[in-house]
Amino acid sequence: MLRFLVRRLIVALLVAATVVTLAFMLTRLSGDLAISIAGANATQQDVEQVRRAYGLDRPLVVQFFDWVGRAALGDFGQSYFFKQRVSELIAERMPVTVTLGLVGLAIALVVSLPLGIIAAVRENTAVDRLVQLVALIGQAMPSFWLGLILMVTLGLRLGWLPISGTGSWEHYVMPGIVLAFSAIPALTRLTRSGMIQALASDYIRTARAKGLSRASILLKHALRNAAIPVVAIAAVQLGFMLGGSIVIESVFALHGVGFLAWESIGKNDFPVVQAVVLVLAVIYIGLTMLADLMNAVLDPRLRSA
Amino acid sequence: MSAAGVGPAPRRGWRSAATWVGAAIVGAVLFCAVFAPLLVPHDPFAQDLNNRLATPFWMDEGHDPAHLLGTDGLGRDYLSRLIYGARISMMIGVLTVVTSGLIGITLGVLGGFAGGRVDDAVLFAITCRLSIPVVLVALAVVGLLGSSLILVVLTLGLLLWDRFAVVARSTTMQVRNLDFVAAAWCAGCSRFHILLREVLPNIASHLVVVATLEMALAILLEAALSFLGLGVPPPLPSWGLMIAEAKEYMFFSPWVIVIPGVALFVLVLGINLLGDGLRDLFGTETET
């Protein structure tokens, strides 16, 4: 177990190092940063001044290690546009994104677990096909468009939910539903196939032979085994959701990290963009590691891998 | 999933009907994309400010018989823009799949075939790629370099190769130990020949299924990028961009966002149905 842990940690660190390098290179793509920051009407003199002020006149390698060193300590520098520390900005906006992600994941689980179980129990019936159709529809739904449609219907026509902003818990319902849509197909399919496999196994036959109730067999015996991969994937899905919330945050004007990144991209605010990419990637790496660990703890067979 | 493939007959029938529906949708959109200039009733770029937001045929009030699906906020014919939009979605879908397929399949086959250190490196590359937030990075790249169709294709192509690599790698591992590969080794075939002529054709069916999934994903992502203003530049009629331009009118005339959204949804659903059908046809169990 310890060897597994150490190996996993080393890989995670290497991945993080690679992503850090890529995040740095990403913002140097445009060529000369100083020209972009100074703006279209800047004179040669302005550009030179910007270059010195932001330390862009130093060799690239020096800039890289300077940035990495500071980032490791949680210092992502100063935002060009907001005139505030990037770390403060992200800390301010993070709760909104995390809340949205958790609400989305909760809705996705509440929908996909029962759907997957029903589909598995009624395998190859009309119910099963209906569930698969729901999964297909979820997969094909453009999330930003679903958001707009919900705003028009639930928000404007029916007046049930607020259209945008972050004032109360109600503001998270619509974006949560939209975000959940992206995770429902995968989670439903995984629950279904896990349950089908579990229901066909010997210990279920034993449980039936013992005369246990249907509910007890399904929920206690089958679901526990089917849930292992679902729990692991749910953690990974949360990572994807945090990364994908940028679209939904912009649709609903939720001022989370995604919205911040979108604003910053439009304003050429590179330190913020770099930092958000990095933070989201590190969260994702952490979550996948958590998923692997959960798998290993729940299923001893995987530890030797 | 072991017993999933051997369903009773009705399931098969339903499945194959769904596949045909998917194929019909993709075929129809492809037809529109290829023959767009011949099909459109109006110039999709021609503005008519006296005839803005004409309603589509199912609404009585304010409908102009010359414009079947109405006009947008600048008086451009919606049907014509929708048909030209099919071009953009299909182009993005196909070109992205070609780019990402080249990268992913090369990496996956190399890793799966060579094993050892090479395979470790490929696995590492896949892990790194998965931890990069796709939408955010795509937005940032387009934001930094300026929006254009070719840039969107390249960016998505460089980001969406992971599933190709995963599937190519695992299927190559299964194929490489089979007898016909051993026979090719004995016959003195070169490594390159074996990869190209023996391994690749035998994993191709799995890769086609992945290609449909990636195509659907690329089309959805392009629409999302264009919607956020960092994808295909105006006045090109990308469906995502049409939704973005229609957003300010959506509370009073909801159909302006309904039409391009439904088109996008139906196309992606069609591609996914086709992919599911192909998966059944080939009997592949590529879990995604």
Side-chain angles (χ1 to χ4, degrees), chain B residues 143-164:
Chain B
L144 283 167
L145 299 183
S147 54
S148 77
L149 192 79
I150 195 70
L151 186 66
V152 173
V153 166
L154 280 177
T155 312
L156 291 181
L158 284 172
L159 285 170
L160 298 181
W161 51 265
D162 50 293
R163 204 149 26 179
F164 275 113

Side-chain angles (χ1 to χ4, degrees), chain A residues 74-98 249 254-265 267-276 279:
Chain A
D75 175 11
F76 295 107
Q78 193 87 10
S79 157
Y80 297 161
F81 177 76
F82 293 97
K83 308 291 173 213
Q84 199 179 347
R85 305 216 60 80
V86 176
S87 46
E88 278 172 26
L89 269 174
I90 292 183
E92 271 170 25
R93 309 282 190 110
M94 200 45 124
V96 174
T97 302
V98 172
E249 283 178 17
L254 283 174
H255 286 251
V257 176
F259 195 82
L260 174 69
W262 185 52
E263 283 178 299
S264 307
I265 290 168
K267 297 189 167 87
N268 281 340
D269 199 343
F270 306 107
V272 181
V273 179
Q274 253 173 353
V276 174
V279 168

Side-chain angles (χ1 to χ4, degrees), chain B residues 2-286:
Chain B
S2 55
V6 261
R11 183 191 147 92
R12 284 265 160 104
W14 180 79
R15 275 288 186 165
S16 86
T19 311
W20 282 112
V21 171
I25 292 170
V26 176
V29 176
L30 193 63
F31 182 81
C32 287
V34 173
F35 296 107
L38 304 174
L39 294 171
V40 289
H42 297 273
D43 178 354
F45 301 104
Q47 303 182 3
D48 178 3
L49 293 177
N50 291 321
N51 198 2
R52 296 165 59 220
L53 292 173
T55 54
F57 65 89
W58 66 80
M59 293 168 79
D60 298 327
E61 206 180 325
H63 176 56
D64 177 352
H67 301 282
L68 192 64
L69 292 181
T71 56
D72 71 2
L74 294 171
R76 295 173 294 195
D77 182 53
Y78 230 41
L79 179 63
S80 307
R81 287 183 74 73
L82 201 67
I83 293 175
Y84 264 85
R87 269 196 163 179
I88 294 175
S89 281
M90 285 314 255
M91 234 153 83
I92 294 273
V94 171
L95 293 178
T96 304
V97 164
V98 169
T99 319
S100 60
L102 272 177
I103 302 171
I105 295 170
T106 310
L107 282 175
V109 168
L110 278 181
F113 197 71
R117 288 272 164 84
V118 180
D119 191 32
D120 286 345
V122 168
L123 263 183
F124 183 73
I126 295 172
T127 318
C128 287
R129 157 49 210 99
L130 283 174
S131 53
I132 294 170
V134 173
V135 185
L136 181 54
V137 169
L139 281 172
V141 171
V142 178
L144 283 167
L145 299 183
S147 54
S148 77
L149 192 79
I150 195 70
L151 186 66
V152 173
V153 166
L154 280 177
T155 312
L156 291 181
L158 284 172
L159 285 170
L160 298 181
W161 51 265
D162 50 293
R163 204 149 26 179
F164 275 113
V166 169
V167 173
R169 177 176 167 273
S170 62
T171 48
T172 303
M173 279 177 162
Q174 286 163 14
V175 168
R176 95 178 148 183
N177 296 323
L178 296 180
D179 287 343
F180 61 85
V181 175
W185 280 120
C186 294
C189 296
S190 69
R191 191 181 290 250
F192 184 69
H193 179 97
I194 292 178
L195 281 178
L196 212 62
R197 290 293 174 83
E198 309 288 338
V199 174
L200 212 50
N202 281 290
I203 64 170
S205 60
H206 297 263
L207 298 177
V208 170
V209 175
V210 176
T212 60
L213 285 168
E214 291 305 321
M215 185 170 169
L217 187 60
I219 289 173
L220 279 180
L221 278 175
E222 180 273 320
L225 293 183
S226 298
F227 174 76
L228 292 177
L230 290 166
V232 176
L236 283 179
S238 150
W239 292 343
L241 196 57
M242 283 172 76
I243 297 174
E245 287 166 351
K247 213 179 109 189
E248 56 180 305
Y249 312 109
M250 74 176 183
F251 288 117
F252 307 105
S253 356
W255 57 267
V256 288
I257 61 163
V258 169
I259 292 172
V262 167
L264 193 58
F265 171 72
V266 169
L267 173 60
V268 174
L269 186 68
I271 297 172
N272 283 334
L273 283 174
L274 187 62
D276 276 9
L278 290 175
R279 188 197 321 241
D280 284 0
L281 187 69
F282 296 142
T284 52
E285 289 280 325
T286 323

